[in-house]
Amino acid sequence: MAIDLLSPFKLNDTITLSNRVLMAPLTRCMADDDLVPTQDMVDYYARRADAGLIISEATIIRPDAQGYPNTPGLFTQQQIQGWKKVTDAVHKNGGKMFAQIWHVGRVAHPHFFDGEVLAPSAIAVEGSVPRMRELTYITPKAATIEDIQGLIADYAKAAENAIEAGFDGVEIHGANGYLIDQFLHYAANTRGDEYGQTPENMSRFALQVVDAVIAAIGNDRTALRLTPGAYFNMSEDNRDQAIFDYLLAQLESRNLAYLHGGIFDDSTRFDSLQGKTTSEYLRAGYSKGTLVGVGSYSFESAKEAINDDKFDLIAIGRPFIANPDYISKMIHGEETLAYSDEMLTELK
């Protein structure tokens, strides 16, 4: 029997989604200078509440997590109350919403905060801050064990803050070359202690963050995003696959709300996946849990992929920027507007 993307999906005993189409996290840099969600953000998310689940833009867990201008936070009461206005509007319109919680690691810049940039190892990333290209990246400090323990606690606190703000759960951002992903790749992690050198050690931080968030808010409200192939701010190393092989096996026992795949679903991009697409690789290593696919799928190609059991849910990104009524258009067979890069700053 063919699966209809617009039919409800039971994520777990706590959460049922109205359909299988998720709004992917999309960084918009729309918060105010105190990183508090604005009325524009309330309106933006409320208009897209007919997605099965909205995943918020990446939201920083503490001041030194910031690497982009005006990205929202979840570490002050003002920010929590700002997000409460967003989640109230989404829920009023019948939607559900997870907060994607984020620390950018070595992609942070002290322009945004007082203090050091933290990363697994003292290895700088090349380039400069998006939208502020005059700011070049600096060499980070290798996090101490005490630093790491503080980071884990702050992920858990951000998850608690998200629930206080009315979110239905959180997606831990463990992808795209940011802090958690930096621990998972040899290009960024050259540590010689219990957080480096072996798949078990290099997976330790990710698993400790997941476990701390589960302890704080429950596994039914905890999700994770991963990019097993090197992607953003990261060079590739074929040794990385062994890390993700180990990590995925460990995650299966956590019974997460879902696991969200990386930004590409293409077998030609990453040698470390040995010819598999991202979703093929994740499905093989994480076969018992709910898997979210992503990567320039259309509604029809996503429907085909889900019916072929490549993944269970689809996260749609750019089409939701151009079409806040994306789900309605799919229901009624209406033509969608094409996305353009200008829409990132022009459309709410």
Side-chain angles (χ1 to χ4, degrees):
M1 181 176 173
I3 295 171
D4 179 4
L5 268 62
L6 298 173
S7 62
F9 179 84
K10 187 175 181 179
L11 200 58
N12 49 47
D13 290 340
T14 305
I15 301 169
T16 297
L17 309 181
S18 60
N19 58 68
R20 291 175 181 252
V21 183
L22 281 54
M23 177 178 164
L26 296 158
T27 297
R28 300 299 307 274
C29 300
M30 291 164 61
D32 70 17
D33 289 342
D34 293 318
L35 311 187
V36 175
T38 59
Q39 185 60 45
D40 279 345
M41 291 171 63
V42 174
D43 298 340
Y44 169 78
Y45 284 113
R47 294 181 68 193
R48 292 156 174 85
D50 54 358
L53 177 69
I54 294 174
I55 309 169
S56 82
E57 62 205 273
T59 302
I60 64 176
I61 64 170
R62 63 190 216 177
D64 70 353
Q66 188 176 359
Y68 300 79
N70 299 100
T71 50
L74 255 175
F75 56 88
T76 71
Q77 197 59 41
Q78 273 187 306
Q79 293 161 2
I80 293 169
Q81 292 307 310
W83 275 119
K84 187 70 166 62
K85 294 177 183 178
V86 174
T87 60
D88 283 350
V90 169
H91 290 149
K92 182 179 179 180
N93 287 352
K96 290 184 170 64
M97 190 170 185
F98 273 32
Q100 188 187 69
I101 55 176
W102 191 33
H103 193 299
V104 303
R106 65 180 184 169
V107 189
H109 199 283
H111 170 82
F112 300 113
F113 55 86
D114 294 326
E116 297 174 295
V117 174
L118 292 179
S121 301
I123 303 172
V125 64
E126 295 181 3
S128 57
V129 175
R131 303 192 185 204
M132 302 181 74
R133 291 300 183 188
E134 70 278 10
L135 301 176
T136 56
Y137 293 120
I138 67 171
T139 300
K141 170 194 167 185
T144 66
I145 298 299
E146 184 178 4
D147 291 330
I148 290 171
Q149 291 170 345
L151 286 161
I152 294 166
D154 286 335
Y155 273 102
K157 181 59 177 174
E160 291 177 347
N161 291 347
I163 300 304
E164 181 182 345
F167 286 99
D168 298 283
V170 304
E171 176 181 293
I172 302 164
H173 197 339
N176 297 355
Y178 299 118
L179 181 62
I180 292 173
D181 198 36
Q182 290 161 24
F183 276 90
L184 298 172
H185 290 274
Y186 283 95
N189 184 351
T190 58
R191 300 177 69 95
D193 62 7
E194 62 263 45
Y195 290 94
Q197 299 298 314
T198 68
E200 180 178 359
N201 287 348
M202 294 172 73
S203 298
R204 191 180 308 277
F205 180 66
L207 291 170
Q208 287 178 333
V209 170
V210 168
D211 289 343
V213 171
I214 288 173
I217 66 170
N219 62 315
D220 53 346
R221 298 187 184 277
T222 302
L224 176 66
R225 189 174 191 183
L226 294 175
T227 41
Y231 163 55
F232 185 53
N233 296 319
M234 191 82 67
S235 58
E236 189 172 4
D237 190 310
N238 287 341
R239 295 175 294 171
D240 292 341
Q241 183 183 339
I243 301 167
F244 285 91
D245 287 348
Y246 175 84
L247 177 61
L248 291 174
Q250 296 297 309
L251 289 171
E252 281 214 300
S253 65
R254 267 69 175 183
N255 196 23
L256 300 173
Y258 61 80
L259 183 69
H260 187 176
I263 200 163
F264 297 124
D265 201 10
D266 184 340
S267 62
T268 66
R269 290 183 182 271
F270 309 119
D271 291 340
S272 60
L273 298 187
Q274 297 183 346
K276 292 185 175 69
T277 66
T278 299
S279 60
E280 286 171 345
Y281 172 74
L282 290 175
R283 181 64 107 188
Y286 189 78
S287 59
K288 298 176 183 177
T290 298
L291 181 63
V292 178
V294 69
S296 300
Y297 282 90
S298 67
F299 187 84
E300 289 304 319
S301 63
K303 182 177 179 179
E304 182 179 347
I306 287 174
N307 276 284
D308 288 342
D309 197 33
K310 293 181 178 179
F311 40 79
D312 305 290
L313 304 168
I314 181 65
I316 299 289
R318 293 177 176 183
F320 263 114
I321 294 178
N323 304 272
D325 54 348
Y326 181 79
I327 298 297
S328 176
K329 286 182 175 179
M330 294 303 100
I331 292 172
H332 297 102
E334 298 173 5
E335 186 176 352
T336 57
L337 295 175
Y339 166 87
S340 68
D341 288 339
E342 288 75 18
M343 291 177 177
L344 277 174
T345 55
E346 291 177 358
L347 284 188
K348 303 295 189 292

